[in-house]
Amino acid sequence: GAAMVVRALWALLAALRAGWCLLPQSGYLHPDEFFQAPEVMAGDILNLHVYYPWEFLSSSPCRTVVFPLMTSGVTYWMIKSLQQLDICSSCINSYTLLVSPRLLFTIFSFILDYSVYQLAPFWGADPWKALVLLAGSYVTLVFYTRTFTNTLEGLLFALLMVLVSSRRSSGSSAEPTNSSLIGVITTAGFFNRPTFLAFALMPLLYWAGLTVDSQKSIKTLINHFLKFILCACFTASVFITADTFYFTSMSLDNIYSTNKSSLIDVIVQLHDKMVVTPFNFLSYNLNPHNLALHGTHPRVTHFTVNGVMLFGILHILAISAGFKILKKYVHQLMLVRWCYHGPPGLLVHSEGSPTLLLFYFVPLAFLSLFSHQEPRFLIPLILPLVLFSASPNRAVKWKLLIVVFNLLGALLFGCLHQGGLIPCLFHLEQLIHSPASSIHPQHYTLLFAHTYMPPRSLLNIKKTDMHVEVIDMAGAGEETLCQTVEQQASNFTCSDCRIFIIIPGTVRATITKCGVSFKNETLIFPHLSMEDPPQIPVLSSGNWRSQLGLHILELNR
């Protein structure tokens, strides 16, 4: 009976994950969830007016185009095809532009569930307890249903863990798994995000240890590692070729239409312009000055803040268990085993818990070497953490705290955090494409202030349409903001222009000081800006709804 309840709970949480994606979630976690894939693909495939981030410019290619094409690109191509075939006359709209890539990522997120179910018996964890911990985590419900490269990194990490621990022989050693697939996934993860190497290090060492331990023939051993290296090189060549074609704007049709001699010339040109995005990424991010542009944090931020923010009590329990195990093994590792019995077999032969903690803390330590530390960088670590936490008699007494923590996390990041911006873009898209606007075309100026960067693709404006202008003021000060607003208000060269200012309620009072008036005002609720948080005394007053909202103000010209 208890087992059926746990399975039903997982099924309910899985349905919530899919349903909440379709609603859709209004929370806006970070600009990268749009500008690392959907925004770029909307411009390339749907020919929409978008903002191309610097990483996808040919002058500074730092992101591979392969994964954006395989995810957002495929979904946008599908809805474009449906519209062209008249199967769906209005398939391309703000809702489908937002939800279709997210839905694909949500489907992919069940790779995590599959991985947990496969890995739990191997690592001595309760499969259904681990699945409920995974499915009930707000990290899975929110982050793993968004179009982050970190999400793909987590899925590839999960597949890698399945491959390196999928089979065990009757003896103490394990049979090596498919070396070729391990090479493919490691390289793909590296091209997706070079930080994947931090996550892959422990699985690869574990796999190497198992391979060496289980092979009696040196020839077979060499064969395994050769397969790994050859498949890794082949996968890298695929990514490099695709990125080089994309960033040098060369058409495959032109190549196929050339004769043999000119094809050699083209290959020579491609070699001269070869694009290796991970190296460009590392070159940029290893420069402290560049990292400082994105914000610097203390080296302990991942350990002390981000881990707790994402995983709550599970992170704290893992740290506590880590110290206990370290204390238990320190004398054994440093004195007894090293001096008398050779190197310690902690990785291959030890019980599951110490090794799982290494899978969790080693990537955490490597990522902590960089001064720019964001919580989403740690989301792949949910897999070893839930496997560790689902061990018998672990984390049982913290059930209520875990539930409350994840409810609050889902509410904060799934609904409130910058939660008015996406509904605002939906509203503006309907306004711009309304029948009245079609009959009497107007020019729209949309000025965003103190919000996250708005994804232009959700406005569904073709590149050829010049009647919509988006001005992103970011966190501009009062003087700069008022100066821009006054310039827009005093622009009398356009008689059919409509100017909208989008600003959080916490900064609403700033606009009143600019000496302009408004004829329409729309409130989108809720919207929480952590950069401009509401004051607690104001929230306790009758003005709390305005403070926790995003205001769309139409300028009276």
Side-chain angles (χ1 to χ4, degrees), residues 305-528:
V305 179
N306 295 340
V308 177
M309 187 186 300
L310 290 175
F311 308 122
I313 190 65
L314 298 185
H315 176 73
I316 296 170
L317 292 175
I319 291 176
S320 174
F323 277 116
K324 288 178 182 177
I325 291 173
L326 188 63
K327 183 179 178 181
K328 175 184 175 182
Y329 276 95
V330 67
H331 183 265
Q332 182 182 10
L333 293 180
M334 299 302 294
L335 297 177
V336 180
R337 286 200 174 193
W338 188 262
C339 294
Y340 302 107
H341 300 289
L346 181 64
L347 275 181
V348 178
H349 300 294
S350 69
E351 58 188 273
S353 291
T355 311
L356 279 174
L357 285 177
L358 287 173
F359 278 51
Y360 183 74
F361 283 115
V362 169
L364 194 61
F366 272 104
L367 293 175
S368 297
L369 297 176
F370 297 92
S371 59
H372 181 60
Q373 301 186 16
E374 295 182 30
R376 63 192 169 93
F377 296 168
L378 302 184
I379 65 172
L381 296 178
I382 191 172
L383 182 63
L385 186 61
V386 297
L387 289 172
F388 174 78
S389 302
S391 301
N393 302 321
R394 200 184 298 277
V396 174
K397 62 180 179 180
W398 302 100
K399 281 182 182 177
L400 181 60
L401 182 59
I402 291 170
V403 170
V404 172
F405 171 79
N406 284 299
L407 281 173
L408 292 176
L411 175 66
L412 175 61
F413 293 105
C415 298
L416 297 177
H417 189 259
Q418 294 285 326
L421 191 54
I422 302 303
C424 164
L425 291 168
F426 279 24
H427 173 80
L428 292 172
E429 190 247 3
Q430 292 177 354
L431 179 68
I432 292 168
H433 296 282
S434 65
S437 297
S438 302
I439 298 170
H440 303 288
Q442 295 176 308
H443 185 277
Y444 294 87
T445 299
L446 311 177
L447 192 152
F448 293 83
H450 292 261
T451 68
Y452 275 5
M453 190 187 302
R456 278 73 159 170
S457 59
L458 296 186
L459 294 171
N460 193 19
I461 307 296
K462 291 291 183 183
K463 287 180 180 178
T464 52
D465 295 339
M466 307 301 294
H467 69 289
V468 178
E469 178 188 10
V470 176
I471 302 173
D472 184 10
M473 297 291 293
E478 181 179 326
E479 183 179 348
T480 305
L481 182 59
C482 284
Q483 185 179 2
T484 305
V485 170
E486 289 165 5
Q487 285 177 351
Q488 294 294 328
S490 59
N491 180 12
F492 297 108
T493 59
C494 180
S495 58
D496 59 347
C497 290
R498 297 181 70 179
I499 302 167
F500 294 88
I501 299 169
I502 297 92
I503 195 165
T506 49
V507 200
R508 170 72 174 81
T510 304
I511 295 293
T512 60
K513 302 175 184 178
C514 297
V516 294
S517 60
F518 304 97
K519 55 183 178 181
N520 288 314
E521 182 170 352
T522 304
L523 177 66
I524 306 290
F525 178 87
H527 180 90
L528 175 63

Side-chain angles (χ1 to χ4, degrees), residues 207-369:
W207 166 73
L210 295 177
T211 304
V212 171
D213 192 60
S214 63
Q215 298 303 318
K216 303 294 186 290
S217 166
I218 189 69
K219 183 179 178 181
T220 309
L221 184 64
I222 293 172
N223 185 47
H224 276 293
F225 289 112
L226 273 179
K227 282 182 180 179
F228 172 85
I229 293 168
L230 288 173
C231 287
C233 291
F234 173 77
T235 307
S237 67
V238 171
F239 277 86
I240 291 170
T241 303
D243 291 336
T244 301
F245 275 122
Y246 179 81
F247 287 108
T248 55
S249 302
M250 299 192 70
S251 170
L252 282 170
D253 294 334
N254 291 337
I255 287 180
Y256 290 137
S257 64
T258 57
N259 57 37
K260 187 175 181 180
S261 60
S262 60
L263 182 57
I264 294 173
D265 294 336
V266 170
I267 293 171
V268 171
Q269 289 177 2
L270 283 175
H271 183 269
D272 293 338
K273 298 179 180 180
M274 188 176 292
V275 175
V276 187
T277 53
F279 293 161
N280 297 337
F281 178 95
L282 289 170
S283 175
Y284 179 87
N285 285 281
L286 290 175
N287 186 331
H289 174 71
N290 291 335
L291 283 184
L293 298 175
H294 302 274
T296 56
H297 309 91
R299 293 295 196 278
V300 295
T301 302
H302 279 325
F303 276 99
T304 58
V305 179
N306 295 340
V308 177
M309 187 186 300
L310 290 175
F311 308 122
I313 190 65
L314 298 185
H315 176 73
I316 296 170
L317 292 175
I319 291 176
S320 174
F323 277 116
K324 288 178 182 177
I325 291 173
L326 188 63
K327 183 179 178 181
K328 175 184 175 182
Y329 276 95
V330 67
H331 183 265
Q332 182 182 10
L333 293 180
M334 299 302 294
L335 297 177
V336 180
R337 286 200 174 193
W338 188 262
C339 294
Y340 302 107
H341 300 289
L346 181 64
L347 275 181
V348 178
H349 300 294
S350 69
E351 58 188 273
S353 291
T355 311
L356 279 174
L357 285 177
L358 287 173
F359 278 51
Y360 183 74
F361 283 115
V362 169
L364 194 61
F366 272 104
L367 293 175
S368 297
L369 297 176

Side-chain angles (χ1 to χ4, degrees), residues 151-225:
T151 304
L152 292 172
E153 187 174 43
L155 299 177
L156 292 169
F157 178 52
L159 291 174
L160 188 61
M161 280 195 66
V162 170
L163 288 175
V164 302
S165 48
S166 59
R167 290 184 292 169
R168 173 171 278 173
S169 64
S170 56
S172 60
S173 61
E175 299 175 18
T177 52
N178 196 317
S179 308
S180 304
L181 276 177
I182 291 174
V184 169
I185 288 176
T186 303
T187 308
F190 176 65
F191 273 82
N192 175 57
R193 287 184 68 86
T195 54
F196 184 74
L197 294 183
F199 297 98
L201 177 62
M202 289 309 301
L204 289 178
L205 287 177
Y206 187 82
W207 166 73
L210 295 177
T211 304
V212 171
D213 192 60
S214 63
Q215 298 303 318
K216 303 294 186 290
S217 166
I218 189 69
K219 183 179 178 181
T220 309
L221 184 64
I222 293 172
N223 185 47
H224 276 293
F225 289 112

Side-chain angles (χ1 to χ4, degrees), residues 48-101:
L48 296 181
H49 174 69
V50 299
Y51 176 83
Y52 283 94
W54 64 270
E55 298 104 317
F56 284 93
L57 299 178
S58 58
S59 57
S60 54
C62 287
R63 300 279 180 189
T64 182
V65 75
V66 174
F67 282 111
L69 280 171
M70 291 171 60
T71 54
S72 299
V74 168
T75 59
Y76 287 162
W77 176 82
M78 288 176 63
I79 62 175
K80 180 182 179 180
S81 299
L82 289 172
Q83 184 157 305
Q84 288 176 339
L85 294 171
D86 289 331
I87 297 174
C88 174
S89 59
S90 57
C91 276
I92 302 175
N93 54 62
S94 56
Y95 175 81
T96 57
L97 289 168
L98 175 74
V99 171
S100 58

Side-chain angles (χ1 to χ4, degrees), residues 8-133:
L9 180 56
W10 173 83
L12 184 65
L13 290 168
L16 173 63
R17 194 189 316 174
W20 201 12
C21 168
L22 295 170
L23 270 179
Q25 288 185 25
S26 59
Y28 183 172
L29 299 176
H30 190 279
D32 281 356
E33 68 176 284
F34 293 101
F35 293 94
Q36 285 183 356
E39 184 84 352
V40 177
M41 291 298 105
D44 290 347
I45 294 174
L46 301 178
N47 199 35
L48 296 181
H49 174 69
V50 299
Y51 176 83
Y52 283 94
W54 64 270
E55 298 104 317
F56 284 93
L57 299 178
S58 58
S59 57
S60 54
C62 287
R63 300 279 180 189
T64 182
V65 75
V66 174
F67 282 111
L69 280 171
M70 291 171 60
T71 54
S72 299
V74 168
T75 59
Y76 287 162
W77 176 82
M78 288 176 63
I79 62 175
K80 180 182 179 180
S81 299
L82 289 172
Q83 184 157 305
Q84 288 176 339
L85 294 171
D86 289 331
I87 297 174
C88 174
S89 59
S90 57
C91 276
I92 302 175
N93 54 62
S94 56
Y95 175 81
T96 57
L97 289 168
L98 175 74
V99 171
S100 58
R102 283 188 179 181
L103 183 59
L104 184 63
F105 271 70
T106 301
I107 294 169
F108 285 164
S109 73
F110 286 94
I111 292 173
L112 275 182
D113 301 72
Y114 166 80
S115 301
V116 164
Y117 189 77
Q118 291 293 319
L119 290 167
F122 186 90
W123 293 104
D126 183 314
W128 288 102
K129 180 182 175 183
L131 280 170
V132 169
L133 278 175

